Amino acid sequence: MVHMYQNKKSVEGLKTIERVQTGVRVEKHLLKVMKAVSEYHDMSLGDLIEGIVLHAFEGKCAFGAESMKRIAEFKKIYGLELDAGDSHKMVERPPGRKR
């Protein structure tokens, strides 16, 4: 999805940035929820990640109450059982092995 502002060289109030392509490995169910949230908000996955991180760097929540309700629904739909307490405690299973 290309936002209208990306076609303009300078628009008042917008920051000109440089993006780089990256290959990031993310837990399968978490990615499904992130994709659903980005689709719900009609933005790219990259824009969603940038927004979440920029909010986190300032100690703020990136989502309002309605979005948090929707995220809870997406977590149920896509079987995401992880929460913030699981951060840095995940071990990747070998490829091809089921839970």
Side-chain angles (χ1 to χ4, degrees), residues 40 42 46 50 64-65 77 98-99:
Y40 175 74
D42 196 27
E50 288 173 345
I77 291 168
K98 298 290 179 186
R99 288 186 199 198

Side-chain angles (χ1 to χ4, degrees), residues 2-17:
V2 177
H3 292 285
M4 186 172 68
Y5 64 80
Q6 290 175 328
N7 296 327
K8 299 179 180 179
K9 291 208 180 233
S10 67
V11 178
E12 192 173 322
L14 297 180
K15 305 272 182 172
T16 301
I17 62 166

